[in-house]
Amino acid sequence: MTRLEEMYKEKVVPELTKEFGYKSTMQIPRIRSVHLNIGLGEASQNHKLIEEAVDELTRISGQKAVVTKAKKSIASFKLREGQPIGCRVTLRGDRMWDFLEKLINFSLPRVRDFRGVPDKGFDGRGNFTLGVREHTIFPEINVDQVERVKGMNITIVTSATSDKESKQLLSLLGMPYRK
C-alpha cells in the first residue's frame, strides 16, 4: 500500500464523510483509474516517433503503452484509417497510486513557472483532465536522450458524482490547484 493510498484511507475518507455527510461508505468518492495519452499527429509520417513515445510512456507509467490508430481517413491531415497516431495507458490499483504520488509530489513542482493546476479540467461528472506540455518533468525521462518534447493528457477518473466532490477529493490528496 502506497503512502498516498494510506492517506486516502486515514485522512481523506473521514474528511469527505464529514463535509458531504455520506451515510454509506460506498458513497465516498474514490479514484477508479488514471489514463495517460500522448497524441502524435506528425507520427503518421515518422514511425520512429511512435516507438519513442511508447517507450517513454511505458517508463513513466510502469506499464506497457498501447499504440492508438486513426479511426477515419482525413486527407487534409495526410492521415489514413489505421495509421498509428499516438499511445495510451490505463493505470489501476497500486500503479495508479504510485503514479499519482509521483505526479503530485515530484513532477508537477518541476514544471517551469508552476503556479498550480487550473481547476477548469473537470467534465461535470467528477473526472479531471490535466494537460502537461512537457513529458520531461517525470523523473524516469532523461532529458539528454529525448529527441522531441511531447505533450501528454492525464485523466483522473473518480467515482464522484459532481465536480465539487471530485475537486475536494483531489485537493485533500494534495493536488496543487491555483488559488
Side-chain angles (χ1 to χ4, degrees):
M1 189 181 298
T2 64
R3 204 170 51 92
L4 196 65
E5 191 176 4
E6 283 178 20
M7 189 174 96
Y8 170 76
K9 290 179 178 173
E10 293 171 9
K11 293 188 176 107
V12 176
V13 168
E15 185 78 28
L16 287 173
T17 306
K18 188 176 87 177
E19 186 173 335
F20 293 103
Y22 298 121
K23 305 269 187 275
S24 168
T25 56
M26 296 306 287
Q27 290 178 303
I28 301 168
R30 64 183 189 282
I31 297 177
R32 288 191 176 145
S33 62
V34 174
H35 302 272
L36 308 174
N37 176 38
I38 294 178
L40 297 164
E42 65 273 7
S44 60
Q45 275 74 34
N46 186 355
H47 291 288
K48 188 179 174 212
L49 276 176
I50 286 285
E51 293 168 11
E52 187 180 299
V54 167
D55 178 54
E56 289 168 349
L57 193 58
T58 301
R59 275 190 277 153
I60 289 170
S61 64
Q63 183 172 308
K64 182 83 169 101
V66 177
V67 174
T68 54
K69 298 186 176 186
K71 292 180 181 176
K72 285 183 176 177
S73 297
I74 303 171
S76 59
F77 294 138
K78 297 179 184 169
L79 187 67
R80 289 203 180 96
E81 186 177 340
Q83 272 186 321
I85 55 169
C87 57
R88 66 183 168 92
V89 165
T90 300
L91 301 173
R92 291 183 174 86
D94 288 341
R95 285 191 179 132
M96 172 190 72
W97 288 108
D98 287 339
F99 176 79
L100 278 175
E101 188 167 353
K102 180 173 55 176
L103 176 73
I104 292 169
N105 296 327
F106 302 114
S107 301
L108 287 177
R110 287 177 69 173
V111 174
R112 242 180 266 135
D113 301 328
F114 185 67
R115 292 184 186 88
V117 176
D119 60 354
K120 294 174 176 36
F122 290 97
D123 67 351
R125 294 190 174 98
N127 304 319
F128 180 67
T129 301
L130 163 71
V132 178
R133 289 203 175 125
E134 295 182 7
H135 74 294
T136 56
I137 62 171
F138 292 99
E140 294 86 3
I141 303 298
N142 186 352
V143 183
D144 300 333
Q145 295 174 346
V146 174
E147 281 185 38
R148 177 182 259 145
V149 176
K150 298 166 196 69
M152 173 188 293
N153 291 333
I154 302 168
T155 302
I156 301 170
V157 180
T158 67
S159 64
T161 55
S162 70
D163 290 347
K164 185 179 177 192
E165 291 175 359
S166 180
K167 183 175 181 183
Q168 188 63 24
L169 165 67
L170 292 173
S171 52
L172 287 172
L173 286 173
M175 184 66 77
Y177 288 108
R178 280 193 189 134
K179 299 286 185 268

